[in-house]
């Protein structure tokens, strides 16, 4: 039985190549062209049918259809229509040729990686033949001439199109291959790149999926995390693409599409290439993966990011807008389940960017800080250098020593000598974590309007001990309990969820599998209840269970409901209550990723949310800021360092960049 068709462009019934050729000819003759007629016809025919139309057009009019389309159309719309008119192998060959030709001036390695990592053996063989036919050149020789090192070696392996077919699974080799990959990287000093190339370039997709599962048991981390730590540059990016395509090509393409459209400007070549090449293969699954990962439909993102006939053609290829909380297609349900499984199995090693200073001398630091603030002017460089290279515990020692040696309050001195964002950042570093969190909670609730996002971020991401210490610090500083402050500044279910979180009484420990299944079924059943009962059930489970337990609950929820917990919350809940539940789910799934998104939102667009930027950079610098940096680069295709550099200035920027801990 053949595999179910997952494309959006299907064979047109009652097809007549001659009639279509005539329609296109009439749409282009005379003054101007009927672009709507062109795009409607071409996007409603399969590629094979388009090739028949090309032949009929030449027979009937003695002209080349692609030549006429190039003459009549312009810009991105022309590129898109012309790409649709080429056979898939020739389209891939042209993309590769353009990528190689451009390599001298700003290399498009990403295009090479995308095509060679994602195509089947048959597609690669056809592309190599098309390249030879179109350019009278040998593709392998051109790749060898324009690439180098391990990156070149892996590209050449992929160009052979000799990966074992999907029904080839060597069960006796699964464990051995996983161990070989571990021994080639994590288990030794240096990396045996040849072993990675041999295994990832030749074993079947099904076999490697089993190998990756086995690898996680051995290494206690995903193969992707190992590749990121063991490899670098274009070779790292190629191997990650291969792994992602082995796990799920639709998810790989969903990520590529998102990156092509987010932020300022659109990577139109990438957008066109993927929409054209996947429209008859797996566009429906790509749409589902896009919705699963980014909480918005591919259709809507195209609509927001493009315009005119170009947009309308892309939307035809996309094939429709997805109901945001609709049930998953089988492929997407499996991916969602697997994502939660990986999240629950992977043991992430959290790393901060600020470490205790080795030759620490609080008296010397206190004297140096006093000298930096004495007399006329302030030596900001010395203040920044000392305080960003000491742990918080060491800074508290400096505070105490400053007072005992000099009889002065270091915080008061810093406040009088510094100003604006630099002052707020340095004072944040000088507070204990509990004092700082209490201050941030107070700031979020004072004045006109409440900063609900800050309240959510702090209460969702702190552990029980951190919340209890924050509550004590709040009471001490402001002579009022944090719970009373929340109760007076918020209302309704949002107030209830914040007060629940502020108890610092979340269960701790690993998942209880039997109870996780019960919780998942209760959440699934609650989706069919009235809204009040549903919200109560979601709050009671999401606010009280441990994070490891919730990972299992959310994984089993996919199985119970065939829906994703994030999409349900987004669709069925509203307002700040929805935002709080959503933040819990995001933190359970991947807390560094959650903070990465918060930092991105703090800096993107016009203006900077300096309070959010300072809060996260200070509070995470000794916990997981290194992990946050990595997630930022992975998701946004730009480093946190770059964003800070472009969005801030002066000594404030200098301090933030030191806390950031490096460029990725």
């Amino acid at each position: 039985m053949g595999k179910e068709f997952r494309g959006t462009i299907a064979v047109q019934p009652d097809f007549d190549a001659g009639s279509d050729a005539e329609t296109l000819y009439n749409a282009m003759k005379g003054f101007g062209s009927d672009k709507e007629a062109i795009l409607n016809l071409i996007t409603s025919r399969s590629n094979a049918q388009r090739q028949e139309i090309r032949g009929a057009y030449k027979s009937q009019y003695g002209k080349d259809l692609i030549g006429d389309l190039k003459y009549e159309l312009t810009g991105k719309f022309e590129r898109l229509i012309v790409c649709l008119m080429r056979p898939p192998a020739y389209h891939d060959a042209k993309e590769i040729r353009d990528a190689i030709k451009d390599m001298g001036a700003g290399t498009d390695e990403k295009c090479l990686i995308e095509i060679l990592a994602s195509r089947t053996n048959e597609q690669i063989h056809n592309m190599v033949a098309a390249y030879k036919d179109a350019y009278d050149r040998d593709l392998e020789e051109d790749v060898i001439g324009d690439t180098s090192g391990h990156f070149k070696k892996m590209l050449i392996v992929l160009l052979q199109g000799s990966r074992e077919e999907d029904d080839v699974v060597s069960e006796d080799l699964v464990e051995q291959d996983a161990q070989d990959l571990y021994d080639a990287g994590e288990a030794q000093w240096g990396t045996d790149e040849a072993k990675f190339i041999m295994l990832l370039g030749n074993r079947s997709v099904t076999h490697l999926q089993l190998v990756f599962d086995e690898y996680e048991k051995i290494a206690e981390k995903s193969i992707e995390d190992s590749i990121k730590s063991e490899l670098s540059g274009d070779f790292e990016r190629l191997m990650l693409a291969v792994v992602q395509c082995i796990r799920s090509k639709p998810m790989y393409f969903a990520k590529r599409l998102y990156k092509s459209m987010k932020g300022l400007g659109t990577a139109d070549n990438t957008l066109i290439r993927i929409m054209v090449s996947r429209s008859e293969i797996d566009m429906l699954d790509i749409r589902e993966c896009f919705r699963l990962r980014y909480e918005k439909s591919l259709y809507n993102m195209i609509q927001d990011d493009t315009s005119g006939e170009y947009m309308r053609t892309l939307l035809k290829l996309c094939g429709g807008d997805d109901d945001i909380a609709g049930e998953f297609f089988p492929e997407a349900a499996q991916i969602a389940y697997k994502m939660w499984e990986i999240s629950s199995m992977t043991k992430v090693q959290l790393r901060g960017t600020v470490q205790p200073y080795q030759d620490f001398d609080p008296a010397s630091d206190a004297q140096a800080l006093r000298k930096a603030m004495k007399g006329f002017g302030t030596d900001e460089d010395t203040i920044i250098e000392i305080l960003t290279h000491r742990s918080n515990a060491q800074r508290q020692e400096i505070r105490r020593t400053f007072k005992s040696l000099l009889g002065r309050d270091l915080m008061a001195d810093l406040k009088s000598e510094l100003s604006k964002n630099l002052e707020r950042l340095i004072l944040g570093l000088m507070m204990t974590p509990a004092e700082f969190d209490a201050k941030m909670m107070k700031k979020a609730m004072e004045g006109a309007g409440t900063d609900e996002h800050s309240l959510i971020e702090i209460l969702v991401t702190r552990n029980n001990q951190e919340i209890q210490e924050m509550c004590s610090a709040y009471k001490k500083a402001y002579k009022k309990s944090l719970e009373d402050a929340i109760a007076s500044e918020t209302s309704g279910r949002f107030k209830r969820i914040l007060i629940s979180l502020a108890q610092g009484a979340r269960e701790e420990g690993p998942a209880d599998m039997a109870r996780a299944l019960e919780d998942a079924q209760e959440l699934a059943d609650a989706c069919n209840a009235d809204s009040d009962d549903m919200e109560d059930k979601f709050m009671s489970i999401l606010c009280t269970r441990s994070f490891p337990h919730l990972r299992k609950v959310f994984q089993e929820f996919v199985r119970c409901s065939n829906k994703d917990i994030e999409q349900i919350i987004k669709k069925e809940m509203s307002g700040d209550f929805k935002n709080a539940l959503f933040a819990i789910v995001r933190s359970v799934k991947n807390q560094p990723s959650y903070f990465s998104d918060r930092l991105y939102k703090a800096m993107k667009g016009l203006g900077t949310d300096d309070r959010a930027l300072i809060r996260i950079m200070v509070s995470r610098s000794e916990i997981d800021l290194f992990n946050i940096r990595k997630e930022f680069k992975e998701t946004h295709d730009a480093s946190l360092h770059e964003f800070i550099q472009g969005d801030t200035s002066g000594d404030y920027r200098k301090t933030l960049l030191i806390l950031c801990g490096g460029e990725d």
Side-chain angles (χ1 to χ4, degrees), residues 395-406:
R395 290 185 214 117
Q396 303 316 311
E397 281 195 60
I398 295 169
R399 271 176 79 175
R400 291 189 290 271
T401 305
F402 196 89
K403 182 159 258 182
S404 62
L405 274 183
L406 305 167

Side-chain angles (χ1 to χ4, degrees), residues 400-519:
R400 291 189 290 271
T401 305
F402 196 89
K403 182 159 258 182
S404 62
L405 274 183
L406 305 167
R408 302 177 67 90
D409 182 350
L410 176 55
M411 299 287 278
D413 281 4
L414 288 167
K415 197 166 188 175
S416 69
E417 294 294 328
L418 306 175
S419 63
K420 298 182 180 175
N421 284 327
L422 178 63
E423 175 203 331
R424 287 189 275 273
L425 177 54
I426 292 294
L427 289 176
L429 287 168
M430 287 306 306
M431 295 175 191
T432 66
E435 289 171 341
F436 182 64
D437 281 347
K439 173 98 174 185
M440 292 296 98
M441 292 291 287
K442 176 70 172 170
K443 285 285 182 189
M445 291 185 282
E446 70 183 9
T450 303
D451 182 356
E452 292 86 357
H453 289 292
S454 297
L455 299 178
I456 291 167
E457 177 200 299
I458 294 168
L459 289 172
V460 163
T461 59
R462 301 323 190 240
N463 63 36
N464 289 344
Q465 183 180 344
E466 288 167 338
I467 287 173
Q468 289 158 12
E469 288 172 356
M470 173 181 66
C471 288
S472 299
Y474 194 96
K475 180 86 171 178
K476 182 178 177 183
Y478 307 112
K479 312 300 182 233
K480 181 179 186 178
S481 76
L482 179 57
E483 184 177 324
D484 287 346
I486 290 169
S488 64
E489 293 296 329
T490 59
S491 61
R493 271 195 161 72
F494 181 55
K495 174 177 78 174
R496 286 172 51 200
I497 199 169
L498 293 183
I499 289 174
S500 173
L501 294 169
Q503 304 312 300
R506 184 180 290 282
E507 295 167 4
E508 295 174 340
D512 177 333
M513 273 310 299
R515 192 174 175 217
L517 289 168
E518 288 174 15
D519 286 344

Side-chain angles (χ1 to χ4, degrees), residues 205-273:
V205 169
T206 310
H207 178 86
L208 283 172
Q209 287 170 346
L210 297 172
V211 169
F212 296 162
D213 289 344
E214 190 63 34
Y215 183 90
E216 275 171 37
K217 295 175 190 171
I218 296 168
E220 295 189 336
K221 65 196 299 189
S222 69
I223 187 70
E224 291 94 331
D225 285 341
S226 290
I227 287 171
K228 287 174 192 174
S229 63
E230 295 295 325
L231 311 179
S232 62
D234 291 324
F235 182 48
E236 175 196 343
R237 283 185 279 277
L238 173 57
M239 298 306 262
L240 283 173
V242 169
V243 169
Q244 287 165 10
C245 286
I246 284 161
R247 286 204 189 275
S248 167
K249 282 183 190 176
M251 182 59 82
Y252 170 73
F253 284 115
K255 290 178 185 175
R256 293 281 294 149
L257 284 168
Y258 178 76
K259 287 180 179 179
S260 77
M261 290 183 280
K262 72 170 188 62
L264 295 172
T266 304
D268 292 292
N269 286 347
T270 302
L271 178 57
I272 290 170
R273 182 173 59 248

Side-chain angles (χ1 to χ4, degrees), residues 15-23 52-53 56-57 60-61:
F15 169 64
D16 183 335
S19 173
D20 285 351
E22 184 180 354
T23 300
E52 287 190 55
I53 296 169
Y57 194 91
Q60 289 170 212
Y61 304 107

Side-chain angles (χ1 to χ4, degrees), residues 453 456 460 569 573-584:
H453 289 292
I456 291 167
V460 163
I569 289 168
M573 317 287 184
S574 62
D576 296 319
F577 181 76
K578 173 192 76 175
N579 294 335
L581 289 179
F582 199 71
I584 292 171

Side-chain angles (χ1 to χ4, degrees), residues 239-421:
M239 298 306 262
L240 283 173
V242 169
V243 169
Q244 287 165 10
C245 286
I246 284 161
R247 286 204 189 275
S248 167
K249 282 183 190 176
M251 182 59 82
Y252 170 73
F253 284 115
K255 290 178 185 175
R256 293 281 294 149
L257 284 168
Y258 178 76
K259 287 180 179 179
S260 77
M261 290 183 280
K262 72 170 188 62
L264 295 172
T266 304
D268 292 292
N269 286 347
T270 302
L271 178 57
I272 290 170
R273 182 173 59 248
I274 297 172
M275 295 301 292
V276 169
S277 66
R278 309 313 292 186
S279 59
E280 294 184 45
I281 301 173
D282 53 5
M283 186 58 71
L284 288 175
D285 291 324
I286 291 168
R287 273 168 39 185
E288 276 293 279
C289 291
F290 195 97
R291 185 190 72 171
L292 169 66
R293 186 167 177 89
Y294 301 111
E295 294 100 45
K296 80 181 287 185
S297 69
L298 175 59
Y299 190 96
N300 279 330
M301 193 146 186
I302 291 170
Q303 214 163 24
D304 291 344
D305 217 61
T306 60
S307 61
E309 289 93 1
Y310 177 51
M311 176 190 74
R312 287 195 288 280
T313 311
L314 289 170
L315 292 178
K316 294 265 190 185
L317 297 177
C318 180
D321 195 1
D322 301 296
D323 172 17
I324 200 160
E327 293 196 355
F328 282 130
F329 291 128
E331 168 86 3
Q334 289 163 18
I335 293 165
Y337 190 85
K338 191 70 180 173
M339 281 169 66
W340 283 113
E341 185 175 52
I342 291 169
S343 175
S344 64
M345 284 177 64
T346 306
K347 293 185 179 177
V348 179
Q349 185 179 357
L350 298 179
R351 283 174 56 187
T353 53
V354 174
Q355 314 296 332
Y357 190 64
Q358 290 303 306
D359 301 316
F360 177 55
D361 182 346
S364 173
D365 285 347
Q367 296 283 8
L369 287 169
R370 176 64 188 139
K371 185 179 176 184
M373 293 185 282
K374 256 173 80 173
F376 184 72
T378 306
D379 180 0
E380 286 91 352
D381 285 347
T382 296
I383 295 171
I384 293 166
E385 180 63 24
I386 291 173
L387 297 183
T388 56
H389 291 95
R390 306 296 184 269
S391 68
N392 190 275
Q394 290 174 331
R395 290 185 214 117
Q396 303 316 311
E397 281 195 60
I398 295 169
R399 271 176 79 175
R400 291 189 290 271
T401 305
F402 196 89
K403 182 159 258 182
S404 62
L405 274 183
L406 305 167
R408 302 177 67 90
D409 182 350
L410 176 55
M411 299 287 278
D413 281 4
L414 288 167
K415 197 166 188 175
S416 69
E417 294 294 328
L418 306 175
S419 63
K420 298 182 180 175
N421 284 327

